Amino acid sequence: MGFLDGLLNVFLKATDPRPRYTEARCLLYKNSVGGCDKCYQACPKGAVRLEGWRVELDEVLCTGCGLCTGVCPGIALEYPLGAIQEALIRGKGKLRCSKAEGKGEEVLCLGRLTPGLLAEAGSRFGKVVLARGDCGACRIGGPEVPERLARMAEEARRYFPVEVEVVEGELPGERVGRRELFQVLLGSAKRTAADLVPELPLPALEEEKEGELPAELRLRRLAASRAPEVRWPRIRVEEGCTLCPVCTNVCPTEAVRRVREGEEYALYLQVAACTGCGACVESCPPQVIRLEEAPKEEVGKELLLFRGKPPWYDL
Protein backbone atom coordinates (compact mmCIF):
# COMPACT_ATOMS: atom_id res chain seq x y z
CA MET A 1 0.00 0.00 0.00
CA GLY A 2 2.97 2.30 0.50
CA PHE A 3 3.72 2.46 -3.24
CA LEU A 4 0.07 2.95 -4.15
CA ASP A 5 -0.30 5.63 -1.50
CA GLY A 6 2.70 7.39 -2.98
CA LEU A 7 1.18 7.31 -6.47
CA LEU A 8 -2.09 8.63 -5.08
CA ASN A 9 -0.33 11.49 -3.31
CA VAL A 10 1.49 12.44 -6.53
CA PHE A 11 -1.79 12.40 -8.44
CA LEU A 12 -3.54 14.51 -5.82
CA LYS A 13 -0.67 16.99 -5.83
CA ALA A 14 -0.77 17.20 -9.64
CA THR A 15 -4.49 17.94 -9.65
CA ASP A 16 -4.56 20.28 -6.64
CA PRO A 17 -4.13 23.85 -7.95
CA ARG A 18 -4.02 25.50 -4.52
CA PRO A 19 -0.90 27.25 -3.21
CA ARG A 20 0.72 26.13 0.02
CA TYR A 21 -0.66 27.86 3.12
CA THR A 22 1.63 28.48 6.10
CA GLU A 23 -0.68 29.36 8.95
CA ALA A 24 2.08 30.79 11.16
CA ARG A 25 2.81 33.52 8.57
CA CYS A 26 -0.81 34.60 8.10
CA LEU A 27 -1.71 38.00 9.58
CA LEU A 28 -5.24 36.79 10.16
CA TYR A 29 -3.98 33.89 12.26
CA LYS A 30 -1.49 36.20 14.00
CA ASN A 31 -4.40 38.39 15.17
CA SER A 32 -2.85 41.50 13.71
CA VAL A 33 -4.89 44.63 14.40
CA GLY A 34 -6.99 45.26 11.32
CA GLY A 35 -6.53 41.67 10.21
CA CYS A 36 -5.93 41.01 6.52
CA ASP A 37 -8.15 40.06 3.60
CA LYS A 38 -5.85 40.80 0.66
CA CYS A 39 -5.92 37.23 -0.65
CA TYR A 40 -9.72 37.26 -0.46
CA GLN A 41 -9.88 40.53 -2.40
CA ALA A 42 -7.35 39.38 -5.01
CA CYS A 43 -8.91 36.01 -5.87
CA PRO A 44 -10.86 36.34 -9.14
CA LYS A 45 -12.71 33.05 -8.66
CA GLY A 46 -14.02 33.32 -5.11
CA ALA A 47 -11.86 30.41 -3.98
CA VAL A 48 -10.60 32.11 -0.81
CA ARG A 49 -12.60 31.96 2.41
CA LEU A 50 -11.63 33.57 5.71
CA GLU A 51 -12.90 31.31 8.46
CA GLY A 52 -11.86 30.75 12.06
CA TRP A 53 -8.91 33.16 11.90
CA ARG A 54 -7.32 31.30 9.00
CA VAL A 55 -7.47 31.10 5.22
CA GLU A 56 -9.38 28.29 3.53
CA LEU A 57 -8.80 27.61 -0.18
CA ASP A 58 -11.51 25.86 -2.19
CA GLU A 59 -9.90 23.11 -4.26
CA VAL A 60 -12.74 23.15 -6.79
CA LEU A 61 -12.92 26.90 -7.35
CA CYS A 62 -9.15 27.55 -7.25
CA THR A 63 -7.58 27.64 -10.72
CA GLY A 64 -3.98 28.09 -9.58
CA CYS A 65 -3.54 31.59 -11.02
CA GLY A 66 -1.40 32.64 -8.04
CA LEU A 67 -2.78 36.16 -7.65
CA CYS A 68 -3.30 35.56 -3.94
CA THR A 69 0.37 34.69 -3.41
CA GLY A 70 1.62 37.98 -4.81
CA VAL A 71 -0.43 40.12 -2.42
CA CYS A 72 0.07 38.12 0.78
CA PRO A 73 2.00 40.41 3.18
CA GLY A 74 3.39 37.57 5.28
CA ILE A 75 4.14 35.19 2.39
CA ALA A 76 1.71 32.74 3.97
CA LEU A 77 0.49 31.67 0.51
CA GLU A 78 3.17 30.45 -1.89
CA TYR A 79 3.91 28.13 -4.78
CA PRO A 80 7.31 26.48 -5.19
CA LEU A 81 9.40 29.24 -6.80
CA GLY A 82 12.45 27.27 -7.87
CA ALA A 83 10.81 25.88 -11.01
CA ILE A 84 9.63 29.33 -12.13
CA GLN A 85 13.05 30.81 -11.45
CA GLU A 86 14.65 28.08 -13.58
CA ALA A 87 12.19 28.83 -16.39
CA LEU A 88 13.13 32.52 -16.28
CA ILE A 89 16.82 31.61 -16.40
CA ARG A 90 16.36 29.20 -19.33
CA GLY A 91 14.32 31.83 -21.13
CA LYS A 92 16.92 34.53 -20.38
CA GLY A 93 14.34 36.71 -18.70
CA LYS A 94 11.48 35.85 -21.07
CA LEU A 95 8.39 33.95 -19.96
CA ARG A 96 4.88 33.39 -21.27
CA CYS A 97 1.65 32.26 -19.71
CA SER A 98 0.11 28.97 -20.79
CA LYS A 99 -2.48 30.80 -22.92
CA ALA A 100 0.02 32.87 -24.93
CA GLU A 101 1.02 31.50 -28.31
CA GLY A 102 4.58 31.10 -29.45
CA LYS A 103 7.73 29.40 -28.27
CA GLY A 104 9.58 29.92 -25.02
CA GLU A 105 9.40 28.99 -21.38
CA GLU A 106 5.98 29.11 -19.79
CA VAL A 107 4.18 29.27 -16.47
CA LEU A 108 0.55 28.38 -15.88
CA CYS A 109 -0.38 32.01 -15.20
CA LEU A 110 1.73 35.15 -14.91
CA GLY A 111 -0.13 35.79 -11.66
CA ARG A 112 2.29 33.31 -10.08
CA LEU A 113 5.18 35.71 -10.53
CA THR A 114 6.34 37.46 -7.36
CA PRO A 115 8.47 40.55 -6.69
CA GLY A 116 11.36 38.29 -5.76
CA LEU A 117 11.18 36.33 -9.02
CA LEU A 118 11.01 39.51 -11.11
CA ALA A 119 13.80 41.22 -9.18
CA GLU A 120 16.11 38.20 -9.34
CA ALA A 121 15.53 37.71 -13.07
CA GLY A 122 16.13 41.42 -13.61
CA SER A 123 19.41 41.21 -11.72
CA ARG A 124 20.54 38.56 -14.20
CA PHE A 125 19.18 39.86 -17.49
CA GLY A 126 18.31 43.52 -16.87
CA LYS A 127 14.95 43.28 -18.59
CA VAL A 128 12.11 40.82 -18.10
CA VAL A 129 9.68 40.24 -20.98
CA LEU A 130 6.36 38.56 -20.22
CA ALA A 131 3.80 37.44 -22.79
CA ARG A 132 0.17 37.00 -21.83
CA GLY A 133 -2.92 35.69 -23.55
CA ASP A 134 -6.34 37.30 -23.48
CA CYS A 135 -6.68 37.78 -19.72
CA GLY A 136 -10.25 39.03 -20.04
CA ALA A 137 -11.36 35.69 -21.47
CA CYS A 138 -9.01 33.48 -19.44
CA ARG A 139 -10.54 30.95 -17.07
CA ILE A 140 -7.33 30.63 -15.05
CA GLY A 141 -6.54 34.22 -14.12
CA GLY A 142 -8.73 37.01 -15.37
CA PRO A 143 -8.67 40.67 -16.35
CA GLU A 144 -6.97 41.58 -13.06
CA VAL A 145 -3.66 39.93 -14.04
CA PRO A 146 -2.06 42.87 -15.96
CA GLU A 147 -2.77 45.31 -13.12
CA ARG A 148 -1.42 42.85 -10.54
CA LEU A 149 1.71 42.35 -12.65
CA ALA A 150 2.32 46.09 -12.69
CA ARG A 151 2.10 46.16 -8.90
CA MET A 152 4.47 43.20 -8.60
CA ALA A 153 6.96 44.95 -10.88
CA GLU A 154 6.79 48.12 -8.80
CA GLU A 155 7.45 46.15 -5.63
CA ALA A 156 10.30 44.28 -7.35
CA ARG A 157 12.04 47.58 -8.04
CA ARG A 158 12.57 47.96 -4.30
CA TYR A 159 15.17 45.22 -4.58
CA PHE A 160 16.56 45.71 -8.09
CA PRO A 161 15.83 48.32 -10.79
CA VAL A 162 14.25 45.77 -13.12
CA GLU A 163 12.47 46.73 -16.33
CA VAL A 164 9.37 44.61 -16.93
CA GLU A 165 7.65 44.57 -20.32
CA VAL A 166 4.31 42.81 -20.71
CA VAL A 167 3.12 42.03 -24.24
CA GLU A 168 -0.17 40.51 -25.32
CA GLY A 169 0.36 37.59 -27.67
CA GLU A 170 3.49 35.61 -28.34
CA LEU A 171 6.97 36.22 -27.02
CA PRO A 172 9.31 37.99 -29.45
CA GLY A 173 10.54 35.34 -31.87
CA GLU A 174 9.20 32.88 -34.40
CA ARG A 175 5.75 31.42 -34.22
CA VAL A 176 5.36 27.77 -33.38
CA GLY A 177 5.31 25.58 -36.48
CA ARG A 178 4.62 21.90 -36.80
CA ARG A 179 8.23 21.02 -36.09
CA GLU A 180 8.13 22.94 -32.82
CA LEU A 181 4.79 21.51 -31.73
CA PHE A 182 6.41 18.58 -29.97
CA GLN A 183 8.74 20.95 -28.13
CA VAL A 184 5.78 23.00 -26.92
CA LEU A 185 3.98 19.89 -25.67
CA LEU A 186 7.17 18.74 -23.98
CA GLY A 187 7.51 22.13 -22.33
CA SER A 188 3.99 21.91 -20.92
CA ALA A 189 4.75 18.43 -19.59
CA LYS A 190 7.95 19.71 -17.97
CA ARG A 191 6.02 22.54 -16.32
CA THR A 192 3.48 20.08 -14.92
CA ALA A 193 6.26 17.85 -13.62
CA ALA A 194 8.02 20.82 -12.05
CA ASP A 195 4.85 21.73 -10.18
CA LEU A 196 5.03 18.33 -8.47
CA VAL A 197 8.40 19.16 -6.91
CA PRO A 198 7.84 20.59 -3.41
CA GLU A 199 10.65 23.13 -3.71
CA LEU A 200 13.79 23.40 -5.83
CA PRO A 201 16.85 24.74 -4.00
CA LEU A 202 17.40 28.45 -4.48
CA PRO A 203 20.91 29.90 -4.44
CA ALA A 204 21.80 31.23 -1.00
CA LEU A 205 24.26 33.90 0.02
CA GLU A 206 27.42 32.70 1.73
CA GLU A 207 26.50 34.16 5.13
CA GLU A 208 22.94 32.83 4.99
CA LYS A 209 21.91 29.51 6.45
CA GLU A 210 19.66 27.50 4.15
CA GLY A 211 16.04 27.68 5.23
CA GLU A 212 16.37 30.82 7.38
CA LEU A 213 14.07 32.84 5.12
CA PRO A 214 11.09 31.94 2.92
CA ALA A 215 12.03 31.36 -0.71
CA GLU A 216 10.49 34.69 -1.77
CA LEU A 217 12.67 36.64 0.65
CA ARG A 218 15.78 34.71 -0.39
CA LEU A 219 15.12 35.73 -4.00
CA ARG A 220 14.65 39.37 -3.00
CA ARG A 221 17.87 39.31 -1.02
CA LEU A 222 19.78 37.68 -3.88
CA ALA A 223 18.57 40.40 -6.24
CA ALA A 224 19.42 43.11 -3.71
CA SER A 225 22.98 41.81 -3.45
CA ARG A 226 23.43 42.66 -7.15
CA ALA A 227 21.70 46.05 -7.05
CA PRO A 228 23.55 49.38 -6.78
CA GLU A 229 21.04 50.48 -4.15
CA VAL A 230 17.83 49.14 -2.64
CA ARG A 231 14.74 50.33 -0.76
CA TRP A 232 14.17 47.35 1.52
CA PRO A 233 11.31 47.88 4.00
CA ARG A 234 12.26 48.11 7.66
CA ILE A 235 10.77 49.49 10.86
CA ARG A 236 11.94 51.99 13.45
CA VAL A 237 10.87 52.07 17.10
CA GLU A 238 10.60 55.50 18.69
CA GLU A 239 10.65 56.64 22.31
CA GLY A 240 7.65 55.51 24.29
CA CYS A 241 8.07 51.80 23.56
CA THR A 242 6.96 49.70 26.55
CA LEU A 243 8.89 46.64 25.33
CA CYS A 244 5.73 44.54 25.33
CA PRO A 245 5.80 41.46 23.07
CA VAL A 246 3.03 42.52 20.65
CA CYS A 247 5.31 43.35 17.68
CA THR A 248 7.13 40.06 18.01
CA ASN A 249 3.86 38.15 18.31
CA VAL A 250 2.27 39.55 15.14
CA CYS A 251 5.36 39.54 12.90
CA PRO A 252 4.65 36.86 10.26
CA THR A 253 8.29 36.17 9.36
CA GLU A 254 9.83 36.49 12.84
CA ALA A 255 11.82 39.50 11.70
CA VAL A 256 11.43 41.11 15.15
CA ARG A 257 12.67 39.43 18.32
CA ARG A 258 12.72 40.50 21.95
CA VAL A 259 15.42 39.33 24.35
CA ARG A 260 16.07 39.95 28.03
CA GLU A 261 19.51 41.35 28.83
CA GLY A 262 19.91 41.71 32.60
CA GLU A 263 17.23 44.08 33.86
CA GLU A 264 16.68 45.41 30.35
CA TYR A 265 14.84 44.12 27.32
CA ALA A 266 15.98 44.70 23.74
CA LEU A 267 14.16 44.58 20.40
CA TYR A 268 16.10 43.46 17.34
CA LEU A 269 15.16 43.48 13.65
CA GLN A 270 16.46 41.06 11.04
CA VAL A 271 16.11 43.41 8.08
CA ALA A 272 16.12 40.72 5.38
CA ALA A 273 13.11 39.06 7.00
CA CYS A 274 10.99 42.23 7.03
CA THR A 275 8.30 42.36 4.34
CA GLY A 276 6.94 45.78 5.26
CA CYS A 277 3.54 44.23 6.01
CA GLY A 278 2.87 46.83 8.70
CA ALA A 279 1.34 44.39 11.19
CA CYS A 280 3.56 45.67 14.00
CA VAL A 281 2.77 49.28 13.09
CA GLU A 282 -0.99 48.72 13.33
CA SER A 283 -0.81 46.51 16.42
CA CYS A 284 1.68 48.50 18.56
CA PRO A 285 -0.25 49.61 21.72
CA PRO A 286 1.60 52.95 22.18
CA GLN A 287 1.84 53.46 18.38
CA VAL A 288 5.60 54.13 18.31
CA ILE A 289 6.60 51.94 15.34
CA ARG A 290 7.20 53.52 11.92
CA LEU A 291 7.84 51.99 8.49
CA GLU A 292 11.00 53.14 6.71
CA GLU A 293 13.35 51.95 3.97
CA ALA A 294 16.70 50.32 4.61
CA PRO A 295 19.76 50.93 2.40
CA LYS A 296 21.66 48.02 0.90
CA GLU A 297 24.28 47.89 3.65
CA GLU A 298 21.61 47.16 6.29
CA VAL A 299 19.88 44.29 4.50
CA GLY A 300 22.14 41.53 5.83
CA LYS A 301 22.21 42.87 9.39
CA GLU A 302 20.27 42.52 12.60
CA LEU A 303 19.59 46.00 13.95
CA LEU A 304 18.91 47.09 17.51
CA LEU A 305 15.51 48.78 17.51
CA PHE A 306 15.08 49.67 21.16
CA ARG A 307 16.56 48.84 24.54
CA GLY A 308 15.49 49.71 28.06
CA LYS A 309 13.92 48.67 31.33
CA PRO A 310 10.21 48.08 30.84
CA PRO A 311 7.85 50.18 33.00
CA TRP A 312 6.22 46.95 34.14
CA TYR A 313 9.51 45.25 35.16
CA ASP A 314 9.12 45.74 38.94
CA LEU A 315 5.40 45.05 39.04
Side-chain angles (χ1 to χ4, degrees), residues 59-93:
E59 183 178 355
V60 175
L61 295 178
C62 179
T63 59
C65 68
L67 289 175
C68 60
T69 66
V71 300
C72 180
I75 318 178
L77 294 168
E78 56 186 340
Y79 285 103
L81 301 183
I84 305 177
Q85 183 200 25
E86 288 296 323
L88 281 164
I89 293 174
R90 289 194 301 268
K92 300 187 184 301

Side-chain angles (χ1 to χ4, degrees), residues 116-193:
L117 285 167
L118 293 173
E120 202 281 327
S123 71
R124 289 176 183 268
F125 307 107
K127 182 178 181 179
V128 176
V129 180
L130 307 172
R132 65 176 180 87
D134 182 1
C135 295
C138 182
R139 295 183 178 181
I140 299 175
E144 302 90 350
V145 171
E147 179 187 352
R148 298 289 181 183
L149 273 177
R151 293 184 184 180
M152 292 301 102
E154 183 61 32
E155 176 68 16
R157 284 188 275 273
R158 281 180 170 268
Y159 315 105
F160 190 89
V162 56
E163 179 185 355
V164 179
E165 179 184 358
V166 182
V167 298
E168 183 174 359
E170 63 185 59
L171 280 172
E174 298 180 1
R175 292 181 61 85
V176 176
R178 292 182 179 179
R179 293 183 179 181
E180 289 85 15
L181 180 59
F182 177 76
Q183 293 180 348
V184 174
L185 294 175
L186 180 61
S188 296
K190 287 168 63 179
R191 172 175 55 77
T192 301

Side-chain angles (χ1 to χ4, degrees), residues 81-301:
L81 301 183
I84 305 177
Q85 183 200 25
E86 288 296 323
L88 281 164
I89 293 174
R90 289 194 301 268
K92 300 187 184 301
K94 295 181 179 181
L95 192 68
R96 65 184 178 91
C97 77
S98 58
K99 301 301 181 181
E101 297 181 355
K103 296 189 296 184
E105 299 294 327
E106 71 170 72
V107 66
L108 178 66
C109 178
L110 296 180
R112 290 197 179 194
L113 292 170
T114 65
L117 285 167
L118 293 173
E120 202 281 327
S123 71
R124 289 176 183 268
F125 307 107
K127 182 178 181 179
V128 176
V129 180
L130 307 172
R132 65 176 180 87
D134 182 1
C135 295
C138 182
R139 295 183 178 181
I140 299 175
E144 302 90 350
V145 171
E147 179 187 352
R148 298 289 181 183
L149 273 177
R151 293 184 184 180
M152 292 301 102
E154 183 61 32
E155 176 68 16
R157 284 188 275 273
R158 281 180 170 268
Y159 315 105
F160 190 89
V162 56
E163 179 185 355
V164 179
E165 179 184 358
V166 182
V167 298
E168 183 174 359
E170 63 185 59
L171 280 172
E174 298 180 1
R175 292 181 61 85
V176 176
R178 292 182 179 179
R179 293 183 179 181
E180 289 85 15
L181 180 59
F182 177 76
Q183 293 180 348
V184 174
L185 294 175
L186 180 61
S188 296
K190 287 168 63 179
R191 172 175 55 77
T192 301
D195 285 343
L196 299 180
V197 180
E199 188 73 77
L200 294 180
L202 296 170
L205 300 178
E206 292 182 1
E207 68 273 17
E208 176 184 283
K209 294 180 181 179
E210 183 67 24
E212 271 191 349
L213 299 172
E216 168 64 13
L217 292 180
R218 301 208 309 272
L219 284 170
R220 295 182 190 184
R221 188 175 176 189
L222 188 60
S225 70
R226 301 166 180 160
E229 57 183 37
V230 302
R231 297 182 293 111
W232 199 288
R234 60 153 291 182
I235 60 171
R236 182 175 300 278
V237 178
E238 301 174 346
E239 290 295 328
C241 173
T242 62
L243 290 161
C244 73
V246 171
C247 57
T248 62
N249 291 342
V250 300
C251 181
T253 55
E254 299 182 351
V256 185
R257 69 184 183 99
R258 186 187 68 154
V259 296
R260 181 173 178 176
E261 299 175 350
E263 293 188 351
E264 293 185 328
Y265 280 78
L267 288 176
Y268 291 94
L269 172 70
Q270 183 186 359
V271 178
C274 183
T275 66
C277 68
C280 59
V281 177
E282 296 296 327
S283 303
C284 177
Q287 291 291 287
V288 294
I289 301 179
R290 303 288 179 265
L291 270 175
E292 294 184 348
E293 293 179 347
K296 181 177 179 178
E297 57 268 21
E298 288 186 352
V299 172
K301 298 180 180 179

